[in-house]
Amino acid sequence: MTTKKLFILAGDGIGPEVMAQVQRVIDWMAKKRHIAFDVAEGLIGGASYDRFGHPLTDETMQDIFAADAVLLGAVGGPKWDSLPFELKPERGLLRLRKDLELFANLRPAFVFDALVDASSLKPELVKGLDIMIVRELTGGVYFGQPRGIETLPNGERRGVNTQVYTTSEIVRIADVAFDLAKKRHNRVHSVEKANVMESGVLWREEVQKLHDAKFPGIELQHMYADNCAMQLVRAPKQFDVIVTDNLFGDILSDCAAMLTGSLGMLPSASLGAADANGHRKAVYEPVHGSAPDIAGKDIANPLATLLSFAMMLRYSFDMMDEAELLERAVKNVLDGGLRTGDIMQTGKAKVSTTVMGESIVREMDKLAG
Ligand code: NAD
């Protein structure tokens, strides 16, 4: 790829503050590494509603389609809570995911040594933890038909949702997971409930078939979702890549997130189908929301967004060295004792969003020699 077209949607609340720290890294790369990103910016969520009367406009969507990857802050806040459903900030996010057909959600759960005490589990269980959860995002029970609430002839009400997956939906998400495992530790756990659900039986069979045909060198284990939940809190380091459906992925990724301790540290990526050159549409964003309670105070943790940017470097732009440099800078700054308020520990130095961002760039400069 010759140009790296990056589209930034800072969004609402703390979005612009944390995104400003990514801009520092982009500026550093241009100045020190001569890596030029073609950066464009747009509005989403409440910010877009305030300006255009809609949480994500067609024009912005067109610009997004022209980009190689999108970096998103967060959307939402009390200011827009009373808007009609279709105009709420979150609708902008849903449109983005739907229009780009982002079917694979990647949620790493990584524990930095310096933050091992922030986990709800014992340090020895989580030290060195590095899991990637790959969640199917556009199918399954959240979208399956029939769905709805009906009143039965006897007056009783009935709520229905349908868990449904096709072969192609299973194969494309499993393909993403196996591909990721190749770049990691070559292990995949495929998670379903084949013991009680036909959709789980199909999931298991299709994942196994794909494995045997295309990825025989990767270690594959099938696991029931309830056992996976238990294993995540019993011995989480047994996992490398976990691939699962929309519902189980929703729950298991939040469970894995808490193993790491802080919302302000968690990046994510959502990927779409690969084009003829193998390039996927992709949106990178922190797991946290717009944190209106601390917005505008320069105290938000920018690391989840910086780590999302590192994921973008790795997965959208194949810039492994730069991704590693940024991640090592985060590690070293934490090892050096700097903390934003959300991850503050006794004896450490509490710093602002800005100082954290500046420190990361300074550390990158040092590491790059
Ligand atoms: P939240 O993630 O915004 O905040 C939860 C708590 O964590 C708050 O106390 C907040 O101050 C803190 N927090 C979050 N990120 C932080 C950071 N980077 N540094 C330090 N502290 C941080 O979740 P919420 O309060 O439930 O939601 C607030 C708004 O965000 C709502 O409008 C919600 O709809 C929206 N939201 C958006 C997204 C998204 O854009 N993807 C995700 C979740 C929530």
Short mmCIF file of all heavy atoms in Angstrom, two decimals, residues 31-55:
data_model
loop_
_atom_site.label_atom_id
_atom_site.label_comp_id
_atom_site.label_asym_id
_atom_site.label_seq_id
_atom_site.Cartn_x
_atom_site.Cartn_y
_atom_site.Cartn_z
N LYS A 31 7.51 13.02 11.37
CA LYS A 31 8.75 13.79 11.57
C LYS A 31 9.97 12.87 11.70
O LYS A 31 11.00 13.10 11.08
CB LYS A 31 8.58 14.61 12.85
CG LYS A 31 9.56 15.75 12.97
CD LYS A 31 9.10 16.75 14.02
CE LYS A 31 10.32 17.31 14.73
NZ LYS A 31 10.03 17.73 16.08
N LYS A 32 9.81 11.79 12.49
CA LYS A 32 10.98 10.98 12.81
C LYS A 32 11.15 9.75 11.93
O LYS A 32 12.22 9.17 11.84
CB LYS A 32 10.93 10.54 14.29
CG LYS A 32 11.02 11.69 15.27
CD LYS A 32 12.38 12.36 15.17
CE LYS A 32 12.50 13.56 16.09
NZ LYS A 32 12.81 13.27 17.46
N ARG A 33 10.06 9.29 11.34
CA ARG A 33 10.15 8.07 10.53
C ARG A 33 9.76 8.28 9.07
O ARG A 33 9.73 7.33 8.30
CB ARG A 33 9.24 7.00 11.14
CG ARG A 33 9.72 6.50 12.49
CD ARG A 33 9.94 5.01 12.43
NE ARG A 33 10.83 4.56 13.45
CZ ARG A 33 10.97 3.28 13.79
NH1 ARG A 33 10.24 2.37 13.21
NH2 ARG A 33 11.83 2.93 14.71
N HIS A 34 9.38 9.52 8.77
CA HIS A 34 8.95 9.87 7.40
C HIS A 34 7.81 8.97 6.92
O HIS A 34 7.77 8.54 5.78
CB HIS A 34 10.13 9.81 6.42
CG HIS A 34 11.27 10.64 6.89
ND1 HIS A 34 11.20 12.03 6.95
CD2 HIS A 34 12.47 10.30 7.39
CE1 HIS A 34 12.33 12.49 7.46
NE2 HIS A 34 13.12 11.47 7.75
N ILE A 35 6.92 8.62 7.86
CA ILE A 35 5.73 7.84 7.50
C ILE A 35 4.56 8.81 7.46
O ILE A 35 4.18 9.37 8.50
CB ILE A 35 5.45 6.74 8.54
CG1 ILE A 35 6.60 5.74 8.55
CG2 ILE A 35 4.13 6.04 8.23
CD1 ILE A 35 6.57 4.81 9.73
N ALA A 36 4.05 9.04 6.26
CA ALA A 36 2.97 10.02 6.14
C ALA A 36 1.63 9.30 6.04
O ALA A 36 1.42 8.49 5.14
CB ALA A 36 3.19 10.89 4.93
N PHE A 37 0.75 9.60 6.98
CA PHE A 37 -0.62 9.14 6.85
C PHE A 37 -1.41 10.22 6.15
O PHE A 37 -1.17 11.41 6.37
CB PHE A 37 -1.25 8.90 8.24
CG PHE A 37 -0.73 7.68 8.93
CD1 PHE A 37 0.34 7.77 9.81
CD2 PHE A 37 -1.30 6.44 8.69
CE1 PHE A 37 0.83 6.64 10.44
CE2 PHE A 37 -0.83 5.31 9.32
CZ PHE A 37 0.24 5.41 10.20
N ASP A 38 -2.32 9.80 5.29
CA ASP A 38 -3.25 10.74 4.67
C ASP A 38 -4.46 10.79 5.61
O ASP A 38 -5.33 9.93 5.56
CB ASP A 38 -3.60 10.17 3.28
CG ASP A 38 -4.58 11.04 2.54
OD1 ASP A 38 -5.04 12.03 3.12
OD2 ASP A 38 -4.88 10.71 1.38
N VAL A 39 -4.45 11.79 6.51
CA VAL A 39 -5.46 11.81 7.57
C VAL A 39 -6.62 12.74 7.23
O VAL A 39 -6.40 13.90 6.87
CB VAL A 39 -4.83 12.28 8.91
CG1 VAL A 39 -5.88 12.23 10.03
CG2 VAL A 39 -3.64 11.43 9.28
N ALA A 40 -7.84 12.22 7.33
CA ALA A 40 -9.02 13.07 7.20
C ALA A 40 -9.85 12.90 8.47
O ALA A 40 -9.73 11.88 9.16
CB ALA A 40 -9.84 12.65 5.99
N GLU A 41 -10.64 13.91 8.79
CA GLU A 41 -11.44 13.84 10.02
C GLU A 41 -12.90 14.11 9.73
O GLU A 41 -13.23 14.84 8.79
CB GLU A 41 -10.94 14.88 11.02
CG GLU A 41 -9.65 14.49 11.68
CD GLU A 41 -9.27 15.46 12.78
OE1 GLU A 41 -10.07 15.62 13.72
OE2 GLU A 41 -8.19 16.06 12.67
N GLY A 42 -13.77 13.54 10.54
CA GLY A 42 -15.20 13.79 10.39
C GLY A 42 -15.90 13.74 11.73
O GLY A 42 -15.28 13.45 12.76
N LEU A 43 -17.20 13.99 11.69
CA LEU A 43 -17.99 14.01 12.93
C LEU A 43 -18.90 12.80 13.01
O LEU A 43 -19.42 12.33 11.99
CB LEU A 43 -18.84 15.28 13.00
CG LEU A 43 -18.09 16.61 13.01
CD1 LEU A 43 -19.08 17.77 12.99
CD2 LEU A 43 -17.17 16.72 14.23
N ILE A 44 -19.07 12.32 14.22
CA ILE A 44 -20.01 11.22 14.46
C ILE A 44 -20.67 11.44 15.82
O ILE A 44 -20.12 12.15 16.69
CB ILE A 44 -19.29 9.85 14.41
CG1 ILE A 44 -20.31 8.69 14.43
CG2 ILE A 44 -18.30 9.71 15.58
CD1 ILE A 44 -19.72 7.33 14.13
N GLY A 45 -21.85 10.85 16.00
CA GLY A 45 -22.51 10.90 17.30
C GLY A 45 -23.14 12.25 17.57
O GLY A 45 -23.64 12.93 16.67
N GLY A 46 -23.08 12.66 18.83
CA GLY A 46 -23.67 13.93 19.23
C GLY A 46 -23.04 15.10 18.51
O GLY A 46 -23.74 16.07 18.13
N ALA A 47 -21.73 15.04 18.31
CA ALA A 47 -21.02 16.14 17.63
C ALA A 47 -21.59 16.32 16.22
O ALA A 47 -21.76 17.45 15.75
CB ALA A 47 -19.53 15.84 17.58
N SER A 48 -21.88 15.22 15.53
CA SER A 48 -22.43 15.29 14.19
C SER A 48 -23.88 15.78 14.24
O SER A 48 -24.32 16.57 13.40
CB SER A 48 -22.34 13.91 13.51
OG SER A 48 -22.97 13.94 12.26
N TYR A 49 -24.63 15.32 15.24
CA TYR A 49 -26.02 15.78 15.38
C TYR A 49 -26.06 17.30 15.57
O TYR A 49 -26.85 18.00 14.94
CB TYR A 49 -26.71 15.07 16.55
CG TYR A 49 -28.09 15.63 16.78
CD1 TYR A 49 -29.15 15.23 15.99
CD2 TYR A 49 -28.30 16.61 17.75
CE1 TYR A 49 -30.42 15.79 16.15
CE2 TYR A 49 -29.56 17.18 17.92
CZ TYR A 49 -30.60 16.76 17.12
OH TYR A 49 -31.84 17.33 17.28
N ASP A 50 -25.19 17.80 16.44
CA ASP A 50 -25.18 19.25 16.73
C ASP A 50 -24.90 20.06 15.47
O ASP A 50 -25.46 21.13 15.27
CB ASP A 50 -24.12 19.57 17.79
CG ASP A 50 -24.56 19.13 19.18
OD1 ASP A 50 -25.73 18.76 19.33
OD2 ASP A 50 -23.71 19.14 20.10
N ARG A 51 -24.05 19.54 14.60
CA ARG A 51 -23.64 20.29 13.40
C ARG A 51 -24.60 20.05 12.22
O ARG A 51 -24.98 20.97 11.53
CB ARG A 51 -22.22 19.83 13.04
CG ARG A 51 -21.64 20.44 11.80
CD ARG A 51 -20.95 21.78 12.09
NE ARG A 51 -20.31 22.26 10.90
CZ ARG A 51 -19.07 21.94 10.55
NH1 ARG A 51 -18.34 21.19 11.35
NH2 ARG A 51 -18.56 22.41 9.44
N PHE A 52 -25.00 18.77 12.02
CA PHE A 52 -25.76 18.43 10.81
C PHE A 52 -27.17 17.91 11.07
O PHE A 52 -27.91 17.60 10.14
CB PHE A 52 -25.02 17.35 10.00
CG PHE A 52 -23.60 17.71 9.64
CD1 PHE A 52 -22.53 16.98 10.13
CD2 PHE A 52 -23.35 18.79 8.78
CE1 PHE A 52 -21.23 17.31 9.78
CE2 PHE A 52 -22.05 19.12 8.43
CZ PHE A 52 -20.98 18.39 8.94
N GLY A 53 -27.52 17.73 12.35
CA GLY A 53 -28.86 17.22 12.66
C GLY A 53 -28.98 15.72 12.48
O GLY A 53 -30.07 15.15 12.48
N HIS A 54 -27.84 15.02 12.33
CA HIS A 54 -27.85 13.57 12.15
C HIS A 54 -26.56 12.98 12.73
O HIS A 54 -25.51 13.59 12.60
CB HIS A 54 -27.95 13.23 10.66
CG HIS A 54 -28.53 11.87 10.44
ND1 HIS A 54 -27.75 10.74 10.44
CD2 HIS A 54 -29.81 11.46 10.24
CE1 HIS A 54 -28.54 9.68 10.26
NE2 HIS A 54 -29.78 10.09 10.14
N PRO A 55 -26.64 11.78 13.36
CA PRO A 55 -25.42 11.25 14.02
C PRO A 55 -24.32 10.74 13.07
O PRO A 55 -23.18 10.54 13.52
CB PRO A 55 -25.96 10.11 14.89
CG PRO A 55 -27.27 9.73 14.31
CD PRO A 55 -27.83 10.97 13.69
#
